[in-house]
Structure formats: C-alpha cells, structure tokens
Amino acid sequence: MNILEIIEKKRDKKELTKQEIEFFIKGYIKEEITDYQASALIMAIFINGMTKEETTNLSLSMANSGEILDLSKLNKTIVDKHSTGGVGDKVSICLLPLVASLGVPVAKMSGRGLGFTGGTVDKMQSIPGYQTEININTFLENVEKIGISMISQTMDLAPADKKLYALRDSISCVESLPLISSSIMSKKIANGADKIVLDVTVGKGAFMKKIEEARQLARQMIEIGKLANKETVCILTNMDEPLGYAVGNNLEVIEAIEFLKGNMPNDVKEVVLELGAYMLKLAKLGDNIEENKEKMLKNIYNGKALKKLKEMIQNQSGDVTYIEDTSKFEKAKYIREVKSTKNGYIQEINAESVGRLACSLGAGRIRKEDNIDNSVGIILNKKVSEQVKKDDILAYIYSNNQDKSKEVEDKLQDIILIEDKEIKRLSSVIEIIK
C-alpha cells in the first residue's frame, strides 16, 4: 500500500478501504506523507466525494490520531452538545448548567472563537478568576463532584483534523460535506461522549448558508454517529440574525446569566429548550420532548439552573459575585446609540455582518494569537419583524474607541434593513433530524 495508489484510486472515483484511510491519516501525522500528496488526495475527495463508510472511517481515523477522553468512570450516559457556530451564540452557557441541574452530566470541552463566530471558552474566561485550563483528572473530578465542568480543549484531541483543516483552508477545500462532517464528528468521538446533540446553524451568520446544505450535513453526521455507535440528533437553527440581543463576550455572558434568571429572549429560549429536551431524552431522563421543556423551565424559575452555574464557576475559582451582580463586569468606555432614520418593519439584520462589526471593535479574533477585548460589542434593541419608528433605538455599540464606534454606527444603519412591509418572525428552530 502506498499514497500514490490511494490518490489514484480516489481520483478515479473508487471507494477507499478503512485500511487505506488509516494508512493516509497515520502517514500524514508522522509526516511520512507530504503536504502536496495530502493536498492531491483532499482535492480528489473534494471533487468526487465519499461514501458513508469512507466518511465514518475518516472520522474514526482522525479521532484515533490523538488522545481519546475516557468518561467511563462517570458511570452515566454522557451526552455532548456541539454547535456549528454563529453570532451571539451563548447557548452553551445557558443550556449546560440547566441540563446539569436536571441530572445530565456535562463534561464540556469548548474552543475559542475565530473571525465573526464567538467561542464559549472566551466567554467563560471573561468571568474573573474562572479557570478554563485545568488537567483532565480535575476536570473529571469536577463532573463527578457537581455534575458539570466546562473547560478549553486541553488534550491533544484529533490532531489529524487540525492538520487537515489547515491544509484544506490553504487549498480552498473547506466546503466539502464529507470533510466538514468528519471534522466535526472526529472531535465529538474523541471527546468521549456516548450520545451527541448537534446544533446545526443555518443562514447568513452560519457556515451553512442554505437549508438543503445543512440538511445534507446533518444527515451525514447522523450516519457517522450510527456507524460509530454514537446516537446523534441534529437540530437545525436559524442564524440569519444574531441569536439573542448581545454580541460580545461580557455582553453575552450577562445575557446568559439573565436567561437563567428567567429573562429569556424568545429565540434563545426556543433553541435552548429544544436542544436541552433532546439531551434529556438521549440521557434517558424523559422521552416526552414537551415535558422535558417544562422540566427545564421549572429549573429556571426555581433558581436551580442559575445555582448550578454559580456552583461550576465557584468550583473553578471564578468570582460568583459577578453572577449575582452583573454590573460588576468591565464596561466599555463609550456606549453609542444607533437610531432608526425612518418608520417601518425590520426586514433583516445580517448576522455575519454584525459579527464582523463586533470583531472590528475587538470582540473577536482575526488571527488565533489576537487578544480579545471582553467589554466591547453590540447589543441589539430590536429584532427582525419588529415595528420601529423614526428615532427608535435599534442598537447600542459598546466601544473603547470613539472613532471606531462612529464607523460601526454608520455600517449598522445599512445592515439593519427597514421597509414598510410587515413580515412574520420565523421560528428559530427549523427542523429536527435524527
């Protein structure tokens, strides 16, 4: 077996065996296979696609290229939640303490944000003192002790995926469904969960812009899950406009805390309850989705979900007084109002454009090494379908640079599209695929 034969086989639209895929992944990690050879194979996959079995074998090979998190000592069904990314996505901070308060063990490793999509780890690190980088034994002890721990990815999980993703990016082969689905699922398999709930975001602020592309991606990941013996449910959610009102680290954390206090934006509520209801179902804690949602709402209103968030933060050296009094979070120097210039109805708030503006204020990274300013961002005051009048406040810009905030204001005026016609608000949950 050699790499040239494998490249030729895929070039000629033939199916690769499990052994051939493993040979490629192992050889590429050991640098026995060169970048130009790997590029040729990835391009052949990009053009000719992969079967379900090939995609699953690629996922498993990438998962097995590094460490695998062993969660068996927890002696419970572990359900992992993952989002394909978006703008204003503070779902994990709302959802995971909530399901943990209902008995679902949460062992969550999250990533950092890059570009216009925010990362859960960055948001959690905006809570003073909160430790996201702890060793695996402590991480597991935390889950055993209080039922939840959220940290940054400290293990060397699926290193082949990291290496292949960088290569795909450099040769314009990112947008391939088999390669996207195997990339996501390799990390989920390496994370050690028994079952997986995936939030597949769709729309302007998501990786998948079109509904049919998102459906195809979801179906592929479910097939990989089946073949890898990991039951997987995909929930397609709307990311045409930012989720909730806040975009920016401190601002999103405050919105998540307020959510757990019962002040729930409708779109965030819809997404959190749907994802959580399926997490409870997969954890065998309730088969009825609507009853599961009621259980979740009860634990928000009785304070148990917020208590679990505080317990996790305190357990990882965070300052819980910030949760009790969110006015303690660092504030941006300047808060600028963005006012409507006319009457009408909001037709569109392009999520990607808002995310890029927040990033330009310092709320995100263009490069991995960039620092984030936790205090800056954008808070929307209106959502799509709402009626506005001239001089109504559309948004607030939180900035530490007055000139930059003026520039962002001008761009936001163009992004928030207002017209005379009345439109209906779309559901935030588009479809369930299982």
Side-chain angles (χ1 to χ4, degrees):
M1 190 185 300
N2 68 62
I3 188 61
L4 292 180
E5 290 170 353
I6 294 170
I7 293 168
E8 286 170 11
K9 195 172 177 182
K10 197 69 225 172
R11 180 199 66 193
D12 296 338
K13 303 182 181 179
K14 294 175 182 174
E15 185 172 351
L16 301 180
T17 66
K18 181 181 179 184
Q19 292 73 25
E20 286 168 331
I21 290 169
E22 286 175 350
F23 175 86
F24 164 61
I25 292 297
K26 285 176 184 174
Y28 189 47
I29 280 290
K30 291 178 181 176
E31 299 186 349
E32 292 164 358
I33 291 170
T34 64
D35 272 346
Y36 62 81
Q37 289 171 323
S39 296
L41 181 57
I42 293 300
M43 185 63 76
I45 290 169
F46 183 86
I47 293 167
N48 296 324
M50 294 184 107
T51 65
K52 292 172 187 175
E53 288 74 18
E54 282 179 300
T55 308
T56 300
N57 288 329
L58 179 59
S59 303
L60 291 169
S61 294
M62 290 197 294
N64 289 318
S65 66
E67 298 174 87
I68 301 280
L69 182 58
D70 182 6
L71 300 175
S72 60
K73 66 181 287 190
L74 298 174
N75 293 316
K76 285 190 177 180
T77 301
I78 307 297
V79 184
D80 196 7
K81 171 262 172 191
H82 175 77
S83 170
T84 55
V87 178
D89 183 356
K90 69 281 298 175
V91 169
S92 288
I93 306 170
C94 302
L95 170 64
L96 298 181
L98 174 54
V99 294
S101 75
L102 286 158
V104 178
V106 173
K108 180 65 175 169
M109 285 188 180
S110 297
R112 301 184 187 283
L114 191 62
F116 66 88
T117 59
T120 300
V121 166
D122 298 316
K123 291 163 195 172
M124 294 306 297
Q125 282 185 329
S126 72
I127 300 167
Y130 185 80
Q131 298 297 310
T132 60
E133 295 184 9
I134 57 179
N135 69 54
I136 294 306
N137 290 332
T138 305
F139 173 58
L140 294 177
E141 284 166 13
N142 288 346
V143 181
E144 282 186 291
K145 180 181 167 186
I146 64 165
I148 183 170
S149 185
M150 293 169 65
I151 65 169
S152 59
Q153 190 170 303
T154 52
M155 293 173 68
D156 190 21
L157 301 177
D161 172 60
K162 295 187 190 79
K163 195 170 179 184
L164 276 179
Y165 189 91
L167 182 70
R168 284 164 54 205
D169 197 26
S170 70
I171 60 171
S172 296
C173 284
V174 171
E175 294 170 351
S176 156
L177 286 174
L179 296 174
I180 294 167
S181 56
S182 60
S183 173
I184 292 169
M185 292 301 285
S186 68
K187 293 191 282 284
K188 294 299 101 185
I189 292 165
N191 274 342
D194 304 299
K195 302 186 180 188
I196 304 162
V197 174
L198 293 168
D199 177 4
V200 181
T201 54
V202 189
K204 297 179 179 72
F207 191 70
M208 309 308 289
K209 307 293 184 192
K210 296 177 182 175
I211 185 76
E212 194 46 50
E213 291 175 346
R215 286 188 183 120
Q216 289 176 32
L217 176 63
R219 290 186 194 113
Q220 285 207 0
M221 292 191 291
I222 286 166
E223 284 300 324
I224 295 168
K226 280 179 186 171
L227 293 169
N229 201 27
K230 308 272 184 188
E231 187 178 356
T232 303
V233 173
C234 291
I235 297 170
L236 274 54
T237 63
N238 188 345
M239 191 48 76
D240 272 335
E241 68 175 322
L243 190 66
Y245 293 92
V247 181
N249 291 310
N250 284 357
L251 304 177
E252 288 186 49
V253 170
I254 291 168
E255 188 170 59
I257 293 164
E258 286 300 316
F259 181 96
L260 293 176
K261 289 178 179 177
N263 304 315
M264 297 175 275
N266 287 331
D267 54 351
V268 183
K269 179 181 177 182
E270 212 176 324
V271 172
V272 167
L273 292 183
E274 201 73 42
L275 291 168
Y278 277 96
M279 289 184 78
L280 288 169
K281 184 175 182 178
L282 292 186
K284 299 177 182 174
L285 295 174
D287 285 333
N288 187 300
I289 294 301
E290 293 310 311
E291 285 178 10
N292 288 348
K293 290 179 185 179
E294 288 302 318
K295 290 177 197 172
M296 294 166 73
L297 286 171
K298 184 179 177 182
N299 268 25
I300 289 173
Y301 293 129
N302 67 20
K304 287 183 180 178
L306 182 66
K307 184 180 177 185
K308 185 59 70 175
L309 175 67
K310 288 163 74 172
E311 200 177 353
M312 177 184 74
I313 289 166
Q314 192 163 34
N315 195 48
Q316 287 176 224
S317 306
D319 188 342
V320 292
T321 64
Y322 281 73
I323 312 305
E324 292 156 358
D325 178 9
T326 56
S327 68
K328 291 184 71 171
F329 278 94
E330 181 190 0
K331 303 284 189 306
K333 288 180 188 175
Y334 309 106
I335 301 174
R336 179 183 287 271
E337 295 176 348
V338 180
K339 292 184 177 180
S340 177
T341 58
K342 59 182 176 179
N343 301 330
Y345 295 87
I346 297 183
Q347 310 291 311
E348 177 183 291
I349 305 175
N350 186 304
E352 180 174 347
S353 299
V354 173
R356 292 193 185 282
L357 284 184
C359 193
S360 74
L361 290 166
R365 297 184 183 84
I366 305 301
R367 300 167 302 170
K368 285 182 181 178
E369 59 271 22
D370 290 347
N371 291 320
I372 279 181
D373 184 342
N374 289 324
S375 67
V376 302
I378 295 164
I379 293 185
L380 300 170
N381 198 44
K382 302 287 183 181
K383 299 284 278 183
V384 169
S385 81
E386 288 187 32
Q387 185 176 16
V388 295
K389 294 179 180 176
K390 189 173 184 292
D391 292 329
D392 278 358
I393 296 171
L394 300 175
Y396 300 92
I397 298 163
Y398 287 69
S399 174
N400 288 316
N401 181 313
Q402 216 161 9
D403 293 337
K404 176 61 76 174
S405 66
K406 178 66 178 83
E407 182 185 320
V408 168
E409 180 190 2
D410 294 339
K411 289 179 179 175
L412 261 182
Q413 292 282 7
D414 294 331
I415 289 166
I416 302 175
L417 183 63
I418 299 169
E419 291 179 2
D420 290 335
K421 64 179 180 180
E422 195 171 344
I423 66 163
K424 187 180 176 184
R425 178 187 173 269
L426 297 174
S427 173
S428 298
V429 175
I430 300 168
E431 196 172 326
I432 315 295
I433 301 177
K434 49 188 175 174

